[in-house]
């Protein structure tokens, strides 16, 4: 079995939402699994002084809002620009980290479900009660998931993940690493697929 | 005959180099021509306070230099990072504008040839004498092309093109417009193709 694909993302990233829906299927096609690595973009943006696409100068922000919609249609996925956007996703990420321990085989389903809910919303994806309901719908302990939001171990784990991301040069999402080779963006999926198919190119 | 595709670019843009090699073939497949629109990225970057990818913070600049190479391999094209980079391309753009009048059917060949030379270089693509030789290789008047570099009409035309680009929201290259729909980046070519095939999506 080849090494898992590292998939660094923030639940609030529109392009990560799109890639999240297909990355596990794509990986499986080439005998790979996905190591879901939730982080906070606000943290890694410090690497480059970057900022959310919708907070850039108006001409750029408008282009990206349009491109989110169009790229979603291109991927046959729904897209409704969330309001408010962006939001903090610490709790969402902590529950995701909790799931990696409680039910590793369901993490992909959880990420797809939560991002789809947020981008076809409205959905309060950072609220412990909302998260508890999602987790329960997957047949797991909702109360335990909600508790993870305040669990110091999960907080520390998320902090460490953001530091690890910065240390290895992550500056955006989705950030996909295959055997050390990093690809940034949903629009790099065709290159990701060729890399998986050929073991590099 | 459907309207020409607007193709806004700077001869110094690595991703525009990649897209330039295939855009005319892609357009022709769907009964379209390309209206080559050389501009200076330094001018339109003012729209957004943007800067060349290789002048961003080191972690980002290094990623892009790597991605230029990989995206070129993905497109089966050579890529040697030019040095110096970036350079001014006023003369290159002015000769391109001259060609749009002198030999419109050869503009695509000229753009492909010049960008390929620069990105598999070294090649002094902004030097009037170098440009004259390229134009002569296409069977045209090299001296007339070199003179276009100092022609006030071409200078004004380039200035007007940059202003037009800014006015319609261009903030990067390649910038492809199909019947009013704008696509930014070489990595949007799959969307461009679907848009051409279906008349939108």
């Amino acid at each position: 079995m080849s090494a898992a694909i590292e998939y660094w993302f923030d639940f609030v990233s529109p392009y990560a939402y799109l890639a999240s829906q297909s990355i596990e299927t794509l990986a499986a096609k080439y005998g790979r699994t996905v190591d879901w690595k939730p982080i906070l973009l606000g943290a890694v943006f410090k690497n480059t002084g970057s900022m959310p696409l919708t907070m850039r100068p108006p001409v750029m922000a408008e282009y990206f809002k349009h491109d989110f919609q169009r790229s979603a249609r291109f991927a046959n996925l729904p897209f409704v620009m969330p309001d408010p956007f962006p939001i903090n996703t610490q709790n969402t990420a902590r529950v995701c980290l909790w799931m990696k321990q409680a039910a590793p085989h369901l993490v992909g389903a959880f990420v797809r479900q939560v991002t789809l809910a947020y981008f076809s919303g409205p959905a309060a994806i950072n609220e412990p009660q909302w998260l508890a309901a999602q987790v329960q719908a997957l047949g797991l302990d909702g109360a335990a998931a909600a508790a993870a939001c305040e669990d110091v171990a999960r907080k520390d784990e998320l902090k460490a993940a953001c530091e690890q991301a910065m240390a290895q040069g992550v500056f955006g999402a989705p950030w996909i690493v295959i055997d050390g080779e990093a690809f940034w963006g949903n629009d790099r999926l065709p290159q990701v697929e060729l890399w998986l198919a050929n073991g590099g190119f």
Side-chain angles (χ1 to χ4, degrees), chain A:
Chain A
M1 188 78 181
S2 302
I5 294 174
E6 293 175 26
Y7 184 82
W8 302 85
F9 70 106
D10 186 324
F11 283 90
V12 81
S13 160
Y15 293 125
Y17 150 56
L18 300 181
S20 294
Q21 304 303 313
S22 62
I23 190 67
E24 205 160 49
T25 306
L26 182 61
K29 189 172 163 188
Y30 299 98
R32 302 274 193 146
T33 54
V34 172
D35 184 6
W36 300 92
K37 292 184 166 287
I39 51 169
L40 304 177
L41 278 180
V44 300
F45 277 175
K46 289 178 198 150
N47 244 343
T48 51
S50 198
M51 68 170 76
L53 296 171
T54 55
M55 295 169 73
R56 309 276 174 105
V59 67
M60 195 179 240
E62 287 312 307
Y63 174 84
F64 278 112
K65 283 187 213 165
H66 184 77
D67 190 66
F68 297 159
Q69 303 269 359
R70 190 175 59 201
S71 294
R73 293 199 304 276
F74 188 69
N76 292 311
L77 292 169
F79 190 91
V80 177
M81 192 69 218
D83 181 18
F85 178 92
I87 58 167
N88 290 323
T89 53
Q90 294 100 323
N91 290 331
T92 332
R94 287 169 194 153
V95 171
C96 185
L97 292 171
W98 171 84
M99 282 203 69
K100 285 181 77 168
Q101 300 206 331
H105 60 296
L106 289 178
V107 175
F110 174 77
V111 175
R112 286 189 291 276
Q113 180 179 310
V114 171
T115 54
L116 182 62
Y118 183 56
F119 289 103
S120 59
I125 65 166
N126 199 48
E127 293 300 322
Q129 292 320 306
W130 187 91
L131 287 161
Q134 296 297 309
V135 164
Q136 219 149 356
L138 288 169
L140 300 169
D141 183 347
C149 299
E150 293 305 321
D151 184 336
V152 174
R154 295 292 85 74
K155 290 183 180 184
D156 288 348
E157 199 182 340
L158 179 56
K159 235 177 273 177
C162 293
E163 277 160 23
Q164 172 64 32
M166 290 185 71
Q168 70 178 68
V170 177
F171 58 79
W175 190 275
I176 299 164
V177 184
I178 308 170
D179 306 331
E181 181 78 7
F183 300 83
W184 176 40
N186 176 59
D187 43 32
R188 287 294 175 276
L189 286 184
Q191 293 192 20
V192 164
E193 174 145 24
L194 186 61
W195 199 274
L196 288 169
N198 294 2
F201 61 81

